[in-house]
Amino acid sequence: MEYSNVMDVLATNTVGPLMVTKHFLPLLRKAASESEEEGMNCSRSAIVNISSILGSIELLQDGGPLIYNMSKTALNMITKSMSATFKEDKILTVAMHPGWVLTEIGGPRAPLTTEQSVKAMLGVMATLDDSQSGHFIDYNGKEIPW
């Protein structure tokens, strides 16, 4: 474990999404304030951080990839904190686990294609409302413990 590797993973998985939100926040606030939609939802204004079930402290059993897990746990904390910070702005904020996806990271045994994962996540995003803001959910909409 090298310092530079840790910082690279944190920059990508934790700091990157935070900076994207920072730069898009004026547009997110504008969309939320001008929307005629009732309550919070993805049609109004939303932050959907792509996390991982490996970022769940409660579900951790075998250790796994420490740096990756840590970066996703930190992203989950950012997501939860943002949900409280942006509640008054009516910006829906969730952390979403895309499932075990057939990618370079997911590996060849992963059961989901990227198309299947994205289709399922988009379906869930279309149904999100105030009650899910600040939550950690999977690509099927199932709640994941922090």
Side-chain angles (χ1 to χ4, degrees):
M1 179 180 333
E2 296 296 323
Y3 179 83
S4 62
N5 294 13
V6 173
M7 297 312 292
D8 287 347
V9 172
L10 286 172
T12 300
N13 292 340
T14 310
V15 179
L18 181 62
M19 293 296 100
V20 168
T21 299
K22 174 189 172 192
H23 290 289
F24 276 91
L25 191 54
L27 296 173
L28 291 164
R29 284 187 167 132
K30 184 176 194 269
S33 70
E34 294 177 0
S35 176
E36 295 180 11
E37 296 277 335
E38 289 296 319
M40 287 188 270
N41 59 58
C42 285
S43 294
R44 179 185 195 115
S45 186
I47 299 164
V48 179
N49 285 323
I50 303 303
S51 187
S52 169
I53 200 164
L54 296 175
S56 170
I57 294 171
E58 186 173 327
L59 296 180
L60 181 66
Q61 293 181 3
D62 64 2
L66 175 63
I67 300 167
Y68 181 81
N69 293 2
M70 177 182 69
S71 72
K72 292 300 186 174
T73 301
L75 178 62
N76 290 347
M77 181 55 158
I78 289 168
T79 304
K80 183 67 174 174
S81 180
M82 282 194 287
S83 74
T85 301
F86 303 138
K87 185 176 184 175
E88 292 294 316
D89 294 308
K90 295 193 180 337
I91 300 172
L92 180 111
T93 308
V94 297
M96 185 175 277
H97 167 58
W100 185 14
V101 183
L102 187 61
T103 62
E104 186 177 319
I105 293 175
R109 294 187 353 219
L112 292 173
T113 65
T114 53
E115 292 82 8
Q116 291 168 322
S117 174
V118 169
K119 183 177 180 181
M121 288 191 297
L122 289 172
V124 169
M125 285 182 220
T127 67
L128 293 175
D129 62 29
D130 302 55
S131 68
Q132 286 114 342
S133 193
H135 290 240
F136 184 15
I137 57 175
D138 74 6
Y139 64 102
N140 287 317
K142 181 182 170 203
E143 185 101 11
I144 297 173
W146 295 111

